[in-house]
Amino acid sequence: MSSWTADELDRIGNAEELQLASYRPDGTLRRYVVMWVARVGDELYTRSAYGPDAAWYRHALASGRGRIRAGGVEREVRFEPGEAEANVPLDDEYHRKYDRHGEKIVATVVGPHRYDLTVRLAPDGA
């Protein structure tokens, strides 16, 4: 198992957007999608703003692995469920980072209705 470096955490965590792609069953990479990313401590997270039926979310859960690009970093990752204790700090970080986009937009990724849609981006050393 691998871990994020301090530089990767800073660069990805401070990036405005994240590009994320999951692997298909045949091992090829799907097309990248753009989303928000937030850092809580030494962990990186994203959430499905469009619910459990969003294609990227379904594919990420099904494959469990993919690749991200943000802040000049490109890295293989595992897609894991977010930890319950990260939910409120993650909401706070989304607000801090993205509230300038408007309350209605930020509401798509914060609050208890999105907690089950939290994906932890774990560095993959494989």
Side-chain angles (χ1 to χ4, degrees), residues 36 94-95 98-110:
W36 287 347
Y94 269 120
H95 281 296
Y98 298 110
D99 268 358
R100 70 184 184 284
H101 294 287
E103 182 179 325
K104 186 175 179 180
I105 294 172
V106 176
T108 65
V109 292
V110 299

Side-chain angles (χ1 to χ4, degrees), residues 71-94:
V73 175
E74 187 165 344
R75 184 85 190 259
E76 294 288 314
V77 295
R78 294 182 316 278
F79 302 116
E80 300 178 348
E83 304 84 6
E85 62 272 8
N87 283 324
V88 172
L90 184 55
D91 282 355
D92 293 343
E93 181 60 9
Y94 269 120

Side-chain angles (χ1 to χ4, degrees), residues 21-44:
S22 60
Y23 282 101
R24 294 181 180 97
D26 68 4
T28 61
L29 203 58
R30 294 183 188 283
R31 201 176 340 177
Y32 283 93
V33 294
V34 176
M35 62 195 54
W36 287 347
V37 60
R39 176 183 175 179
V40 174
D42 290 340
E43 303 294 346
L44 298 167

